[in-house]
Amino acid sequence: MSPRTKEQNDAIREIRMNQIMQAAAEVYLEKGIQLEIRDVAVKAELGYGTVYHYYKNKHMLLEDLLWDALYRTESAVQPAMTGDGGSLHKAESFSRLLLQKCVQDPSVFILLKTVADNFHHFPGNRFSKLSDHFQERIYLPFVHMIREEIDSKSPDKTANLIFGSLIGCTALNIHHQMRHEMDADGIVDMIFSGLQTKER
């Protein structure tokens, strides 16, 4: 048997990394920060040594998981940030896309929950850069949309309320095994129906 090419090795590596990331997200939903590399290996149906080859400890794994989730989140909400329509329409679209992504991709929910918890489960300040990127790429553009169109004395508080509602609804559905039954459109419609638009 001839040795694998670099391209073949890269393809195998990408498949393994996806397996590990998906398994890590599922295990994190079950165990939180108590997750161990061994748990991820079992969930991914890979050998412990295989997972350990890629990640020497769970903090390195979770760091990669959260950075990857940040890119997925940014990609998911991009159509709302660059689309047509006023800021209120964009804010609703942003919220809908974000909630749908949370349902489809547990790592995005984990990112939002971790940011909301201010990374308090993680040691040191290794996530300060990720937090800054989240603020700049996701949170502050959303606050800007709220400030433009919604009658609120504190756009930040309103944005936090909406983010908290999206996280809470996702958590309830995940922990009650109803993730795929969640009515994302209905939830977002209900949240925004309670907001007053600015008088022009």
Side-chain angles (χ1 to χ4, degrees), residues 143 145-162 194-199:
V143 171
M145 294 173 199
I146 300 295
R147 183 177 289 116
E148 289 281 302
E149 291 282 343
I150 293 173
D151 188 17
S152 171
K153 291 178 183 170
S154 175
D156 292 67
K157 284 184 180 176
T158 302
N160 287 342
L161 180 90
I162 295 169
L195 299 175
Q196 299 293 318
T197 57
K198 286 183 177 177
E199 292 184 12

Side-chain angles (χ1 to χ4, degrees), residues 88-105:
L88 180 61
H89 173 74
K90 287 183 177 182
E92 282 191 63
S93 177
F94 179 106
S95 301
R96 192 168 282 110
L97 290 168
L98 190 58
L99 187 55
Q100 288 166 349
K101 192 65 177 174
C102 280
V103 173
Q104 297 162 359
D105 187 341

Side-chain angles (χ1 to χ4, degrees), residues 22-112:
Q22 286 176 7
E26 292 296 334
V27 173
Y28 190 91
L29 291 180
E30 295 165 11
K31 297 191 170 189
I33 198 66
Q34 303 304 318
L35 128 163
E36 295 295 340
I37 295 287
R38 194 173 305 280
D39 303 322
V40 175
V42 169
K43 182 70 81 173
E45 298 181 351
L46 294 170
Y48 174 70
T50 302
V51 179
Y52 191 75
H53 170 74
Y54 292 100
Y55 294 103
K56 301 303 180 204
N57 61 61
K58 68 181 180 183
H59 295 296
M60 290 173 64
L61 171 54
L62 290 170
E63 189 167 0
D64 262 15
L65 178 78
L66 292 175
W67 273 105
D68 188 56
L70 176 65
Y71 300 131
R72 291 170 188 260
T73 304
E74 187 177 13
S75 177
V77 299
Q78 196 63 35
M81 293 201 275
T82 57
D84 296 330
S87 293
L88 180 61
H89 173 74
K90 287 183 177 182
E92 282 191 63
S93 177
F94 179 106
S95 301
R96 192 168 282 110
L97 290 168
L98 190 58
L99 187 55
Q100 288 166 349
K101 192 65 177 174
C102 280
V103 173
Q104 297 162 359
D105 187 341
S107 68
V108 170
F109 166 70
I110 292 166
L111 171 68
L112 294 182

Side-chain angles (χ1 to χ4, degrees), residues 10-21 46 54:
D10 288 346
I12 289 169
R13 177 180 170 79
E14 188 171 342
I15 290 167
R16 290 282 179 267
M17 296 287 279
N18 283 335
Q19 274 181 282
I20 292 167
M21 289 292 183
L46 294 170
Y54 292 100

